[in-house]
Each structure stands twice: as C-alpha cells, then as structure tokens.
Amino acid sequence: SIIVLLGIGASAIALLAGGSPRILLMRESLFTAVFGLACLGSLLLARPMMFYFGRHFIAGGDAIRRRRYEASWALPGVRFTSRLVTAVWGTVSWESLRCGLP
C-alpha cells in the first residue's frame, strides 16, 4: 500500500509540474529506480524485500500459512532464491532509470 501511495503522490506532483509526457516518463522511471534501490538496500537486512512480498502473496492473512512461510527461511534454497529475486528486481528496476530518462 505504501508503494501505491508513493506512486499516487508522484503522479500528483508530476501533474502539478505541468503534466507533460516527458515529466510523466521521468516520474515512472524515478519511481521504478527508487523501488530498485529499496530492493538492493534490503539485501543488507536479515531478510530481503521480496521475501516479504512473497509472504504477503502466498500466505496473506492466514496465520498457519504465514508461520509455514516464515519457517521456510531456514532452507538454504529459500534464502538463496529470495535474495536472487530481490537482486534481479533491484538491478532491473535501477537500470530502468538509465533507460527511461530522456
């Protein structure tokens, strides 16, 4: 929900700044780059950002599924995959800044 609110806020600022296609393109690129930096920064934490995204989409509000998902962190494959997916998302999102800015 925070990501959606940030996107709405960035859209409002872009519209107030004139709403030209170039500004809207820059907003999209900057927002994606910030998401990429958040992913890459989360690799320094105990559990990367995509672990939490996965938990949200797989377990939702179900307490049993949530505990099972949390327990899966003990498996080396789960840790590796969570970090790999986070690194890929972070790198690709960050790269979109370079490709998306005019």
Side-chain angles (χ1 to χ4, degrees):
S1 61
I2 291 172
I3 293 171
V4 171
L5 290 175
L6 290 174
I8 292 169
S11 294
I13 291 169
L15 287 174
L16 290 173
S20 74
R22 186 175 185 170
I23 290 175
L24 292 174
L25 178 63
M26 287 174 55
R27 180 203 60 96
E28 291 296 326
S29 296
L30 288 172
F31 182 72
T32 303
V34 168
F35 179 76
L37 283 176
C39 283
L40 294 173
S42 76
L43 291 170
L44 301 173
L45 303 175
R47 294 180 180 176
M49 197 159 86
M50 287 302 155
F51 176 83
Y52 297 105
F53 273 73
R55 183 182 68 189
H56 173 75
F57 288 111
I58 291 172
D62 187 327
I64 294 171
R65 289 175 125 184
R66 191 177 180 112
R67 280 194 301 273
R68 188 178 305 142
Y69 190 85
E70 291 282 340
S72 74
W73 186 252
L75 302 171
V78 171
R79 292 191 304 270
F80 173 79
T81 303
S82 292
R83 289 189 175 109
L84 177 64
V85 170
T86 302
V88 169
W89 266 93
T91 303
V92 170
S93 298
W94 176 249
E95 185 64 20
S96 74
L97 177 65
R98 187 179 68 82
C99 296
L101 287 179

